[in-house]
Amino acid sequence: MASNKLHIKWYLAAIGVLLLAIVFYINILIVNNQQQELSRVSQDLRASIIGKLQGNLDYINLLAEMRRRNEVDAQSFESRSSAYLKAHPELINFTWVDQDFYIRSVSPLRGNRQILGLHLDLAEPARVSALAKKTKQAHYTKAFEAIQGDCSFEVWYPVYRDNEFLGLIAGVYSCEKLLRSVSVSVSSISNHYLVGLTDSKDSFFISLNQRQNADMDNNHKVKLGLENDLVVSVTRLKTSFGDINLYILFLAIVLLIVLASITGLKLKRDMAKRETLLEELRQANHYISESESRFKLIFDSSPVGMILVDDAGHIVDVNQFICQIFGYDVQHLLQKSIDYLVPEEQRTGYIWEQGKYRPISPDVDKALMSDLDAFTGLCANGEVISVQVALAPIKLLSRWHTLVSVIDNTERNQLFDQLKIQNNKLNQSNSSLVKVNEQLERFAYICSHDLQEPVRMVQGFGPLLETQLEGKLDEKSQKYLHYMVDGANRARDMIDDILEYCRSDKVITNYQSVDLGKTCQHVNETLLNQFAQRNGQFIWEENLPHLPAVPSQLFQLILNIVNNGLKFNHSETPLVALKVLSIDDHWQIRITDNGIGIASQYQKQIFNIFERLHGNSEFPGTGIGLASCQKIVERHFGSIHLESQLEQGSTFIINWPKQQKI
């Protein structure tokens, strides 16, 4: 019996030691878990605060960009930023300082009017603003007591246009309100932790609850990572129960673990699933919060007038551009019917129905539909203006709204009126130009035609005179007579070329499908004697395409280029070859000869009328042939150019459209 009792005592002692060991081990785990929890809470609060600061810094950057583009001045600074300040209570104000560090504007103006015009003399703001100007980057001040009496700090953002310093924009934060702005994170732990802001020297401490019950030995601090040395401090609060209750809880946990070993695995799986769902929920909430912030920023900063209308047709929100267009302030328009911005005589003809401004009867011709429509709006001063309106459905807080985009058409209509005037003037000028061109063409044709008669007389009687006076004139007189006859022949050639050049300038309307192969055959027959005299040859590919062209002009084009290849040629066997390539939407005609070639500096000027590179004694001609070629190609909406080198022949490249423009 005594032995059994001894065994029982040792067993109980062993059980007690085991339980104490388990309790001690659990206590260590709990302490470590508390430290990890403190660290996690601190990091979560730090991330929330950093996100809040970064979002506000992005908006300050937007204000700075407006300042660079001169879209904001000292008077409009407050109206631009007041709505943002109302939505972000952690900010005390925005301050605009000019390049000489004088305060030009502050938002909100109420309560801060006394600092306007003051020089930035406070030590910490003066130091950080000078640093921001020097580095061209945003910098944060250390915490200090603001004029409003709050413990605060500031961020200073320099504004530069290229290298020109325009001043700075500052955001002033309240430490206490910054903590409150992350209340979603703070409220969930405020019963267990003392959350505060301080610095590394503990020179101040801002918190949202009492400090007396804090367990200062169970504290965790994490720096925000800013240059202002701000630190997030999280301290565990003491519970109303004593430590014995904690140990009793530990023992109960041990017994529960033993008794619930079977259900533990299931609980673990459920907890893992719950953590997954919570993480997804946190991500979804974060995404929704970011989306709403982004929508608000875009809505307020949009260069287009924006009106948010609920499903009953009442105005929920407007941006500043709507106020500029219609002349109202934001508060005046809220909860007004959309009819308020429509001229009174048109209101009775419309109803707001299913997110659209619809006509009541088919007699009314205009309604605000989903496309961009012209409409009329009523301004605060009674002026009726032309606007363009587009509607887009959007779901906010589980209710469908309509986002109305409004563009003031006043300047656009003025530009259209000016454009109509300019177009009328242009049409008049074009008509006058057509008449002048017709007169010039008629004049050139008449002059060339009338010049033929005296030239024909010289051509007719000159040879007769040479025949009658043959042997009767001295050599010098005979030479003069020969010059006269030769000059008359050249004048006749030039007149013919001028007439052909004028004809090629007419507007083409009678395009035909011309067989290029047959055209080459006709050219070859026309120049057959010349090729025979020079022992030359003109060759072309088989199965050449049909080109949309005026037959006579296409013939003249090929004839002039082939004739040039034969004329400007010192070879004993002159050769001119034609081939065609199909490239995208055009035919490329390549006419190559083995003639004397043309230097690169002269390859453009040969297409000028009357432009000649050789004397008439060496190569006779008028200098009009290639000019006519270029005009024919251009009249058919094509292009022509030359590839050539001296003594290596030439290639004329013609790009001819497969389909002509009519």
Side-chain angles (χ1 to χ4, degrees), residues 43-55 153 173 178-179 181-182 195-197 224 226 230 232:
Q43 292 296 339
D44 287 348
L45 288 175
R46 176 186 178 277
S48 297
I49 293 175
I50 289 298
K52 183 73 68 174
L53 296 179
Q54 184 59 45
F153 64 95
Y173 288 92
L178 180 60
L179 277 180
S181 69
V182 291
V195 179
L197 279 178
L224 288 181
L226 304 176
L230 278 179
V232 174

Side-chain angles (χ1 to χ4, degrees), residues 350-366:
Y350 295 91
I351 57 171
W352 183 267
E353 183 181 90
Q354 297 179 354
K356 292 183 178 180
Y357 204 53
R358 298 181 178 277
I360 296 174
S361 67
D363 298 333
V364 184
D365 22 339
K366 283 292 180 182

Side-chain angles (χ1 to χ4, degrees), residues 142-144 151 175 196-206 221-224 228-233:
K142 294 181 179 180
F144 63 98
C151 180
C175 293
L197 279 178
T198 184
D199 58 15
S200 59
K201 298 179 181 179
D202 285 334
S203 58
F204 72 98
F205 188 86
I206 301 297
K221 295 180 179 179
V222 58
K223 290 186 176 182
L224 288 181
N228 58 5
D229 204 28
L230 278 179
V231 174
V232 174
S233 173

Side-chain angles (χ1 to χ4, degrees), residues 68 132-134 136 158-167:
R68 291 187 195 101
K133 175 184 177 182
K134 179 179 178 180
K136 297 184 179 180
V159 183
Y160 279 84
R161 185 187 295 118
D162 296 329
N163 290 322
E164 179 187 3
F165 177 62
L166 303 178

Side-chain angles (χ1 to χ4, degrees), residues 591-629:
I591 304 176
T592 304
D593 63 58
N594 60 347
I596 62 175
I598 299 175
S600 58
Q601 63 267 31
Y602 302 121
Q603 290 179 9
K604 289 186 178 180
Q605 73 182 61
I606 62 170
F607 293 102
N608 297 334
I609 189 170
F610 300 128
E611 192 73 47
R612 291 177 50 82
L613 303 181
H614 307 87
N616 198 63
S617 60
E618 183 179 5
F619 295 105
T622 61
I624 300 178
L626 289 180
S628 295
C629 289

Side-chain angles (χ1 to χ4, degrees), residues 425-463:
K425 291 182 179 179
L426 182 61
N427 291 334
Q428 294 175 0
S429 300
N430 287 339
S431 299
S432 300
L433 184 60
V434 168
K435 292 179 180 179
V436 170
N437 286 337
E438 290 176 351
Q439 293 173 358
L440 287 175
E441 181 181 346
R442 191 178 301 111
F443 177 76
Y445 185 83
I446 292 173
C447 287
S448 300
H449 187 273
D450 291 347
L451 284 173
Q452 290 187 30
E453 183 62 26
V455 171
R456 195 179 297 113
M457 295 292 293
V458 175
Q459 281 185 309
F461 291 101

